[in-house]
Amino acid sequence: MRFIILLTLSTIGFTASAQFWHRKPKPQEERFPQLIAVSHNSVIVKQVINIPYQDIHDLQLRRSVYNLELAEDVILAEAKHNMRFRQYSLASYNFSDLAALYMQQNRFSEAKWYLLQSNAISRQQDDTKHTLSNLLALADIKFQIGEPALAKLDMQEAHDIAAAKGMQTDLIEIDKKIQYLQNSKLVAIKAEIRYDSAVEAANSKKIIN
């Protein structure tokens, strides 16, 4: 009986273990075709077109009233900010920019006031270049509003400062400016003389007639 049981178990075990070599066939893997070889891999050199150089001049457009007002608001806000935080050197340049803006609009009294403020700060900051620039602008304004004598004083002060500091380049420019003002004054005087003589001649004709 024991022999029969042992034989039965051996048969069952062999049958189970005999299945180990039966493997399911793997699905055939799909092989993609090889990449097409590059037939031409040389670098394509594009032809460079040489454009002849020409002087390009900036187109100067007349600034509108809106643009001037907008620029004024921006510079004023920046000047107030710099004055509030005691950035006096920057504020001095803001005042000069405002003066230049007002000069474009022939607002000479306002431009003169801001230049005086800027000049006071530039002197305190020992900014000689800026002081000279302010003096030249002040002289220009005073000449425009009919104060040539005061304009000459500003020019002379600028001349003395540049000479004392050994600023030869600025000194040459100041001398040119002084000469220009003197020549302009002579032209204005001659124009007044011609105008007076013309008026006198017209009046004499009326009297004769």
Side-chain angles (χ1 to χ4, degrees), residues 53-105:
Y53 173 79
Q54 295 180 352
D55 291 333
I56 301 176
H57 302 284
D58 294 335
L59 180 61
Q60 300 294 333
L61 298 177
R62 186 176 180 181
R63 302 184 68 175
S64 64
V65 176
Y66 173 76
N67 289 335
L68 291 172
E69 291 178 351
L70 183 62
E72 180 183 357
D73 293 339
V74 171
I75 298 174
L76 272 174
E78 187 175 351
K80 291 178 181 179
H81 172 82
N82 290 327
M83 288 296 292
R84 179 182 178 184
F85 291 96
R86 299 182 180 181
Q87 299 291 330
Y88 298 123
S89 180
L90 296 177
S92 177
Y93 283 92
N94 294 144
F95 293 152
S96 296
D97 292 339
L98 276 173
L101 196 66
Y102 292 144
M103 288 177 69
Q104 295 181 24
Q105 306 172 65

Coordinates of all heavy atoms in Angstrom, one line a residue, residues 53-105:
Y53 N 27.0 102.2 -47.1 CA 26.7 103.0 -46.0 C 26.2 104.4 -46.4 O 26.7 105.0 -47.3 CB 28.0 103.1 -45.1 CG 27.9 104.1 -44.0 CD1 27.2 103.8 -42.8 CD2 28.4 105.4 -44.1 CE1 27.1 104.7 -41.8 CE2 28.2 106.3 -43.1 CZ 27.6 105.9 -41.9 OH 27.5 106.8 -40.9
Q54 N 25.2 104.9 -45.7 CA 24.7 106.2 -46.0 C 24.5 106.9 -44.6 O 24.2 106.3 -43.6 CB 23.4 106.2 -46.7 CG 23.5 105.6 -48.1 CD 22.2 105.6 -48.8 OE1 21.1 105.8 -48.2 NE2 22.2 105.3 -50.1
D55 N 24.8 108.2 -44.6 CA 24.5 109.0 -43.4 C 23.1 109.0 -43.2 O 22.3 109.4 -44.0 CB 25.1 110.4 -43.6 CG 26.6 110.3 -43.6 OD1 27.2 109.4 -43.0 OD2 27.2 111.2 -44.2
I56 N 22.7 108.7 -42.0 CA 21.3 108.7 -41.6 C 21.1 109.8 -40.5 O 21.7 109.8 -39.5 CB 20.8 107.4 -41.0 CG1 21.0 106.2 -42.0 CG2 19.4 107.4 -40.5 CD1 20.7 104.9 -41.5
H57 N 20.3 110.8 -40.9 CA 20.1 111.9 -40.0 C 18.8 111.7 -39.2 O 17.8 111.3 -39.8 CB 20.0 113.2 -40.8 CG 21.3 113.5 -41.6 ND1 22.5 113.9 -41.0 CD2 21.6 113.3 -42.9 CE1 23.4 114.1 -41.9 NE2 22.9 113.7 -43.1
D58 N 18.8 112.0 -38.0 CA 17.6 111.9 -37.2 C 16.6 112.9 -37.6 O 16.9 114.1 -38.0 CB 17.9 112.2 -35.7 CG 18.8 111.1 -35.1 OD1 18.8 110.0 -35.7 OD2 19.6 111.4 -34.1
L59 N 15.4 112.5 -37.7 CA 14.3 113.3 -38.1 C 13.8 114.1 -36.9 O 13.4 113.6 -35.8 CB 13.1 112.5 -38.6 CG 11.8 113.2 -39.0 CD1 12.2 114.2 -40.2 CD2 10.7 112.3 -39.4
Q60 N 14.0 115.4 -36.9 CA 13.6 116.3 -35.8 C 12.2 116.7 -36.0 O 11.8 117.4 -36.9 CB 14.5 117.6 -35.9 CG 16.0 117.3 -35.7 CD 16.4 116.7 -34.4 OE1 15.7 117.0 -33.4 NE2 17.4 115.9 -34.3
L61 N 11.4 116.2 -35.0 CA 10.0 116.5 -35.0 C 9.7 117.6 -34.0 O 10.3 117.6 -32.9 CB 9.1 115.3 -34.7 CG 9.2 114.1 -35.7 CD1 8.4 112.9 -35.2 CD2 8.8 114.5 -37.1
R62 N 8.8 118.5 -34.3 CA 8.4 119.5 -33.4 C 7.6 118.9 -32.2 O 6.7 118.2 -32.4 CB 7.6 120.6 -34.1 CG 7.3 121.8 -33.2 CD 6.6 122.9 -34.0 NE 6.3 124.0 -33.2 CZ 5.7 125.1 -33.7 NH1 5.2 125.1 -34.9 NH2 5.5 126.1 -32.9
R63 N 8.1 119.3 -31.0 CA 7.4 118.7 -29.8 C 6.1 119.4 -29.6 O 5.9 120.6 -29.7 CB 8.3 118.9 -28.6 CG 9.7 118.3 -28.7 CD 10.5 118.4 -27.5 NE 9.9 117.6 -26.4 CZ 10.5 117.5 -25.2 NH1 11.6 118.1 -25.0 NH2 10.0 116.8 -24.3
S64 N 5.1 118.6 -29.4 CA 3.7 119.1 -29.2 C 3.6 119.7 -27.8 O 4.4 119.5 -26.9 CB 2.7 118.0 -29.4 OG 2.8 117.0 -28.5
V65 N 2.5 120.5 -27.6 CA 2.2 121.0 -26.3 C 2.0 119.9 -25.3 O 2.5 120.0 -24.1 CB 1.0 122.0 -26.4 CG1 0.7 122.5 -25.0 CG2 1.3 123.1 -27.3
Y66 N 1.4 118.9 -25.7 CA 1.1 117.7 -24.8 C 2.4 117.1 -24.3 O 2.6 116.8 -23.2 CB 0.2 116.7 -25.5 CG 0.1 115.4 -24.7 CD1 -0.8 115.4 -23.6 CD2 0.8 114.3 -25.0 CE1 -0.9 114.2 -22.8 CE2 0.7 113.1 -24.3 CZ -0.2 113.1 -23.2 OH -0.3 111.9 -22.5
N67 N 3.4 116.9 -25.3 CA 4.6 116.3 -24.9 C 5.4 117.2 -24.0 O 6.1 116.7 -23.1 CB 5.4 116.0 -26.2 CG 4.9 114.9 -27.0 OD1 4.2 114.0 -26.5 ND2 5.1 114.9 -28.3
L68 N 5.4 118.5 -24.2 CA 6.1 119.4 -23.3 C 5.5 119.4 -21.9 O 6.3 119.4 -20.9 CB 6.0 120.8 -23.9 CG 6.8 121.0 -25.2 CD1 6.5 122.4 -25.8 CD2 8.3 120.9 -25.0
E69 N 4.2 119.4 -21.8 CA 3.6 119.3 -20.5 C 3.9 118.0 -19.8 O 4.1 118.0 -18.6 CB 2.1 119.5 -20.7 CG 1.7 120.9 -21.1 CD 0.1 121.1 -21.3 OE1 -0.5 120.0 -21.2 OE2 -0.3 122.2 -21.5
L70 N 3.9 116.9 -20.6 CA 4.2 115.6 -20.0 C 5.6 115.6 -19.5 O 5.9 115.1 -18.4 CB 4.0 114.5 -21.0 CG 4.2 113.1 -20.6 CD1 3.2 112.7 -19.5 CD2 4.0 112.1 -21.7
A71 N 6.5 116.1 -20.3 CA 7.9 116.2 -19.8 C 8.1 117.0 -18.6 O 8.9 116.7 -17.7 CB 8.8 116.7 -21.0
E72 N 7.4 118.1 -18.6 CA 7.4 119.0 -17.4 C 6.9 118.3 -16.1 O 7.6 118.4 -15.1 CB 6.5 120.3 -17.7 CG 6.5 121.2 -16.5 CD 5.6 122.4 -16.8 OE1 5.0 122.5 -17.9 OE2 5.4 123.3 -15.9
D73 N 5.8 117.6 -16.2 CA 5.3 116.8 -15.1 C 6.3 115.8 -14.6 O 6.5 115.6 -13.4 CB 4.0 116.2 -15.4 CG 2.9 117.2 -15.7 OD1 3.0 118.3 -15.3 OD2 1.9 116.8 -16.4
V74 N 7.0 115.1 -15.5 CA 7.9 114.1 -15.1 C 9.1 114.6 -14.4 O 9.6 114.2 -13.4 CB 8.3 113.3 -16.4 CG1 9.5 112.3 -16.0 CG2 7.2 112.5 -16.9
I75 N 9.7 115.7 -15.0 CA 10.9 116.3 -14.4 C 10.5 117.0 -13.1 O 11.3 116.9 -12.1 CB 11.5 117.4 -15.4 CG1 11.9 116.7 -16.7 CG2 12.7 118.1 -14.7 CD1 12.3 117.7 -17.7
L76 N 9.4 117.6 -13.0 CA 9.0 118.2 -11.7 C 8.8 117.1 -10.6 O 9.3 117.3 -9.4 CB 7.7 118.9 -11.8 CG 7.7 120.4 -12.3 CD1 6.4 121.0 -12.5 CD2 8.5 121.2 -11.2
A77 N 8.2 116.0 -10.9 CA 8.1 114.9 -10.0 C 9.4 114.4 -9.5 O 9.6 114.1 -8.3 CB 7.2 113.8 -10.6
E78 N 10.3 114.3 -10.5 CA 11.7 113.8 -10.1 C 12.4 114.8 -9.3 O 13.1 114.4 -8.3 CB 12.4 113.5 -11.4 CG 13.8 112.8 -11.1 CD 14.5 112.4 -12.4 OE1 13.8 112.5 -13.5 OE2 15.6 112.0 -12.4
A79 N 12.3 116.1 -9.6 CA 12.9 117.1 -8.8 C 12.4 117.1 -7.4 O 13.2 117.2 -6.4 CB 12.7 118.5 -9.5
K80 N 11.1 117.0 -7.2 CA 10.5 117.0 -5.8 C 11.0 115.8 -5.1 O 11.3 115.8 -3.9 CB 9.0 116.9 -5.9 CG 8.4 118.3 -6.4 CD 6.9 118.1 -6.6 CE 6.3 119.4 -7.1 NZ 4.8 119.3 -7.3
H81 N 11.1 114.6 -5.7 CA 11.6 113.4 -5.1 C 13.0 113.6 -4.6 O 13.4 113.2 -3.5 CB 11.5 112.2 -6.0 CG 12.1 111.0 -5.5 ND1 11.5 110.1 -4.7 CD2 13.4 110.5 -5.8 CE1 12.3 109.1 -4.4 NE2 13.5 109.3 -5.1
N82 N 13.9 114.1 -5.5 CA 15.3 114.3 -5.1 C 15.5 115.3 -4.0 O 16.3 115.2 -3.1 CB 16.1 114.7 -6.4 CG 16.2 113.6 -7.4 OD1 16.3 112.4 -7.0 ND2 16.3 113.9 -8.6
M83 N 14.7 116.4 -4.0 CA 14.8 117.4 -3.0 C 14.3 116.8 -1.6 O 14.8 117.1 -0.6 CB 13.9 118.6 -3.3 CG 14.6 119.5 -4.4 SD 16.2 120.2 -4.0 CE 15.6 121.4 -2.7
R84 N 13.2 116.0 -1.7 CA 12.7 115.4 -0.5 C 13.7 114.5 0.2 O 13.8 114.5 1.4 CB 11.4 114.6 -0.8 CG 10.8 113.9 0.4 CD 9.6 113.1 0.0 NE 9.0 112.4 1.1 CZ 7.9 111.6 1.0 NH1 7.4 111.4 -0.2 NH2 7.4 111.0 2.1
F85 N 14.4 113.7 -0.6 CA 15.4 112.8 -0.1 C 16.8 113.4 -0.1 O 17.8 112.6 0.0 CB 15.4 111.5 -0.8 CG 14.1 110.7 -0.6 CD1 13.1 110.8 -1.5 CD2 14.0 109.9 0.5 CE1 11.9 110.1 -1.3 CE2 12.8 109.2 0.7 CZ 11.8 109.2 -0.2
R86 N 16.9 114.7 -0.2 CA 18.2 115.4 -0.1 C 19.2 115.0 -1.1 O 20.4 115.0 -0.9 CB 18.7 115.3 1.3 CG 17.8 115.8 2.4 CD 18.4 115.7 3.8 NE 17.5 116.3 4.8 CZ 17.8 116.3 6.1 NH1 18.9 115.8 6.5 NH2 16.9 116.8 6.9
Q87 N 18.7 114.6 -2.3 CA 19.6 114.4 -3.4 C 19.8 115.7 -4.2 O 19.3 115.8 -5.3 CB 19.0 113.2 -4.3 CG 18.8 111.9 -3.6 CD 20.2 111.3 -3.2 OE1 21.2 111.4 -3.9 NE2 20.2 110.5 -2.2
Y88 N 20.5 116.6 -3.6 CA 20.5 118.0 -4.1 C 21.2 118.1 -5.5 O 20.8 118.9 -6.3 CB 21.1 118.9 -3.1 CG 20.4 119.0 -1.8 CD1 21.0 118.7 -0.6 CD2 19.0 119.3 -1.8 CE1 20.3 118.7 0.6 CE2 18.3 119.4 -0.6 CZ 19.0 119.1 0.6 OH 18.3 119.1 1.8
S89 N 22.2 117.3 -5.6 CA 23.0 117.3 -6.9 C 22.1 116.9 -8.1 O 22.1 117.6 -9.1 CB 24.2 116.4 -6.8 OG 24.9 116.4 -8.0
L90 N 21.3 115.8 -7.9 CA 20.4 115.4 -8.9 C 19.3 116.4 -9.1 O 18.9 116.7 -10.3 CB 19.8 114.1 -8.5 CG 20.8 112.9 -8.4 CD1 20.0 111.6 -8.0 CD2 21.4 112.6 -9.8
A91 N 18.8 117.0 -8.0 CA 17.8 118.0 -8.2 C 18.3 119.2 -8.9 O 17.5 119.9 -9.7 CB 17.3 118.4 -6.8
S92 N 19.5 119.6 -8.8 CA 20.1 120.7 -9.5 C 20.0 120.5 -11.0 O 19.7 121.4 -11.8 CB 21.6 120.9 -9.1 OG 22.2 121.9 -9.8
Y93 N 20.3 119.2 -11.4 CA 20.2 118.9 -12.9 C 18.7 118.9 -13.3 O 18.4 119.2 -14.5 CB 20.9 117.6 -13.2 CG 22.4 117.7 -13.2 CD1 23.2 117.5 -12.1 CD2 23.0 118.1 -14.4 CE1 24.6 117.6 -12.1 CE2 24.4 118.2 -14.5 CZ 25.2 118.0 -13.3 OH 26.5 118.1 -13.4
N94 N 17.8 118.5 -12.4 CA 16.4 118.5 -12.8 C 16.0 120.0 -13.0 O 15.2 120.2 -14.0 CB 15.6 118.0 -11.6 CG 15.8 116.5 -11.4 OD1 15.8 116.0 -10.3 ND2 16.0 115.7 -12.5
F95 N 16.4 120.9 -12.2 CA 16.1 122.3 -12.4 C 16.6 122.8 -13.7 O 15.9 123.6 -14.4 CB 16.6 123.1 -11.2 CG 16.0 122.8 -9.9 CD1 16.6 123.0 -8.7 CD2 14.7 122.4 -9.9 CE1 16.0 122.8 -7.5 CE2 14.0 122.1 -8.7 CZ 14.7 122.3 -7.5
S96 N 17.8 122.4 -14.1 CA 18.4 122.9 -15.4 C 17.6 122.3 -16.5 O 17.4 123.0 -17.5 CB 19.9 122.4 -15.5 OG 20.7 123.0 -14.5
D97 N 17.1 121.0 -16.4 CA 16.3 120.4 -17.5 C 15.0 121.2 -17.6 O 14.5 121.4 -18.7 CB 16.1 119.0 -17.1 CG 17.3 118.1 -17.2 OD1 18.3 118.6 -17.9 OD2 17.4 117.0 -16.6
L98 N 14.4 121.6 -16.5 CA 13.2 122.3 -16.5 C 13.4 123.7 -17.2 O 12.6 124.1 -18.0 CB 12.6 122.6 -15.1 CG 11.8 121.4 -14.5 CD1 11.5 121.7 -13.0 CD2 10.5 121.3 -15.2
A99 N 14.5 124.3 -16.9 CA 14.8 125.6 -17.5 C 14.9 125.5 -19.0 O 14.4 126.3 -19.8 CB 16.1 126.2 -16.9
A100 N 15.6 124.4 -19.4 CA 15.8 124.2 -20.9 C 14.4 123.9 -21.5 O 14.2 124.4 -22.7 CB 16.7 123.0 -21.1
L101 N 13.5 123.2 -20.8 CA 12.2 123.0 -21.3 C 11.4 124.3 -21.5 O 10.7 124.5 -22.5 CB 11.5 122.0 -20.4 CG 10.2 121.3 -20.9 CD1 10.6 120.4 -22.1 CD2 9.5 120.5 -19.8
Y102 N 11.5 125.2 -20.5 CA 10.8 126.4 -20.5 C 11.4 127.4 -21.6 O 10.6 128.1 -22.2 CB 10.8 127.1 -19.1 CG 10.1 126.4 -18.1 CD1 10.5 126.3 -16.8 CD2 8.9 125.7 -18.4 CE1 9.8 125.6 -15.8 CE2 8.1 125.0 -17.4 CZ 8.6 125.0 -16.1 OH 7.9 124.3 -15.2
M103 N 12.7 127.3 -21.8 CA 13.3 128.1 -22.9 C 12.7 127.8 -24.2 O 12.6 128.6 -25.1 CB 14.8 128.0 -22.8 CG 15.4 128.7 -21.6 SD 17.2 128.4 -21.5 CE 17.7 129.4 -22.9
Q104 N 12.4 126.5 -24.4 CA 11.8 126.1 -25.7 C 10.4 126.7 -25.9 O 10.0 126.9 -27.1 CB 11.7 124.5 -25.8 CG 13.0 123.8 -25.8 CD 12.8 122.3 -25.8 OE1 11.8 121.8 -26.3 NE2 13.8 121.5 -25.4
Q105 N 9.8 127.0 -24.8 CA 8.4 127.6 -24.9 C 8.5 129.1 -24.7 O 7.4 129.7 -24.6 CB 7.6 126.9 -23.8 CG 7.5 125.4 -23.9 CD 6.8 124.8 -22.7 OE1 5.6 125.0 -22.6 NE2 7.5 124.1 -21.9

